[in-house]
Amino acid sequence: MGKIFGIDLGTTYSCISYVDEFGKPVVVANQDSSPVTPSVVAFEEGGNTSVGQAAKETLNTDPANVCSAIKRQMGKRDYTFSAFGQEYTPEAISSLILKKIAKDTREVLGEEVKDVVITCPAYFGMDEREATRQAGDIAGLNVLAIINEPTAAAISYGLNLDSPQTVMVYDLGGGTFDVTIIKVEDRQIRVVATGGDHQLGGKDWDDAIREFVIGKYSEMTGESMDSIYDDLETMGDLELKAETAKKQLTQKSSAVVRLNGQKIEITVEEFDNATRSLLESSIEKMHETMDAAAQKGVTSFDKILLVGGSTRMPQIMTRLKAEFPTTPIEFCDPDQAVAKGAAVYGINIAAFPIDEGGDAPKPLTEVDKSNPIFSIGGGKGPIKIVNVISQCIAVRLVVDDNGREEIVNQIYKNTELPYTKTLPVGTVVANQTSVYMEFFENGSMDEFVPEDLCKPLIQGELGPLPANLPKGAPIEMYFNINEQGLLSIDAKDMTGGVTKHLEVMLQSVLSKEEVEAEKRKVQGLKIL
Ligand code: ADP
Ligand code: MG
């Protein structure tokens, strides 16, 4: 059996890990000897690309051809990054990051990276998860599973899966904030509630420093702030310097940023003041998630785990201690826990593959389970992850005799998976020949959802229906969401016992042909 790797494909930094022969997850350092690789891709004339630290440093020389924070665009069909006349989807850009990590790992370990578990935020919707899987496909990897980052972190923290407990994972990374309440019981890891903000992360703290510096600089020199904002190269340079200053401020009481020959000092107090609203916004989101958990009867937790590089900022621990004076709050290997947990999970599914029949997983016979790598989580059985959906699923329905249409929620977020539901509906008029169906994702918890809060998910047509049907002829929609969060919908015409199988494609993911095309595009690039 080759190694199974866990990959944390982060918004700002990515990390790769495998479980060694002693059963310990270890991180593979990249070619720069760093355990994490910036998730940044820089394109050059002639088809060369660089990924990682070198790409990040291109920010101040050629910012227009540098793509960062691509994870924020995952699953969006209207976004492409263009460089040297070529358009790249978020999946293709992400695949370049994966390829670079795989290449470095191959060079360091002398072993091919093939089977992987990739992580994503718990609140990623289905299309974003599928996009993550496709990024793996395009990179030529065999993606065994996509699992939630907080779940991976909890696995790597070494929660004892045989003792029941509830844990809150507060994950503040570079570009995303993810808060998840997890319950462990009978070796099952259950996500009780998940929330966060995928536009909030360490990058915003960097931007606050940059803004502070530009303001001070403008005061000192009389130069207008706009003239700096318009200068892409200076802005790119300041972005790097702001991040360095931020990291210094976790150790020191002040840091200095140089801009056009001026030295601008920022103290921890000034930093904390400039970023207070960001911190409070994370606390607000955390409370929303706690409320969602409370609705499911989970009102307390035994522990808070801090994950994500940005939880190193002392303001986070201080604020959380003030909020929860009696709960233990622990650092959980901020930058590496997610990749390590994914690797451990990968080993676990190899030892206990999920039985397609949905019964208890069957262990692989050829695996020697006396090997310590399989004694994970304090026990000797499979880790079972119970996921919830992170968005509501709604369908457009005609709700009265006047033909008024509403988008009506059918499955609410935080519903446990797998899940099935049958929705009985009927034809709207006599002699209807087909039924057009539209499904949406949304974050609202109301039954009727305004269209502007909805994101189209899938659509399709059931038909042709038998002739001469009366108004209200019965139709059934059968929703099925599997453990991985993949939704399928079957619509059935109930009149003549005729069953119509309706295939509906997820709208926001690439088709097989598109994946192949992206693969070819990416294969044409050389990663330096
Ligand atoms: P993601 O998973 O979102 O890519 P990570 O969990 O790797 O992010 O965290 C990256 C973020 O953590 C970056 O914004 C980085 O600047 C920040 N970070 C890393 N080390 C420190 C530190 N010592 N102090 C403050 N922030 C840090
Ligand atoms: Mg992360």
Side-chain angles (χ1 to χ4, degrees), residues 10-13 173-175 202 243 246-247 250 308-310 312-313:
T11 311
T12 52
Y13 289 92
E243 187 183 3
K246 175 187 72 177
K247 289 182 182 170
T250 66
S310 300
R312 290 224 174 85
M313 295 186 292

Side-chain angles (χ1 to χ4, degrees), residues 200-216 246 249 265-281 313 315:
L200 182 70
K203 234 173 170 328
D204 299 297
W205 271 256
D206 301 345
D207 287 349
I209 292 185
R210 188 163 68 173
E211 242 168 67
F212 177 91
V213 167
I214 294 171
K216 272 263 179 101
K246 175 187 72 177
L249 288 171
E265 189 188 35
I266 178 166
T267 66
V268 168
E269 289 72 38
E270 287 168 326
F271 174 59
D272 287 349
N273 286 333
T275 55
R276 183 151 292 124
S277 61
L278 299 170
L279 176 62
E280 287 312 315
S281 155
M313 295 186 292
Q315 56 173 249

Side-chain angles (χ1 to χ4, degrees), residues 311-387:
T311 58
R312 290 224 174 85
M313 295 186 292
Q315 56 173 249
I316 306 291
M317 182 63 108
T318 308
R319 182 68 181 84
L320 286 174
K321 272 196 175 144
E323 195 76 21
F324 306 103
T326 58
T327 311
I329 307 176
E330 292 182 38
F331 280 106
C332 179
D333 205 353
D335 333 88
Q336 304 184 6
V338 171
K340 286 180 177 174
V344 170
Y345 184 71
I347 286 295
N348 198 256
I349 44 180
F352 305 99
I354 298 167
D355 182 13
E356 293 298 329
D359 296 329
K362 270 192 223 126
L364 275 184
T365 43
E366 66 268 29
V367 171
D368 169 17
K369 281 197 286 305
S370 62
N371 186 319
I373 66 173
F374 297 115
S375 58
I376 289 154
K380 298 248 185 312
I383 304 172
K384 188 146 194 290
I385 294 178
V386 180
N387 285 327

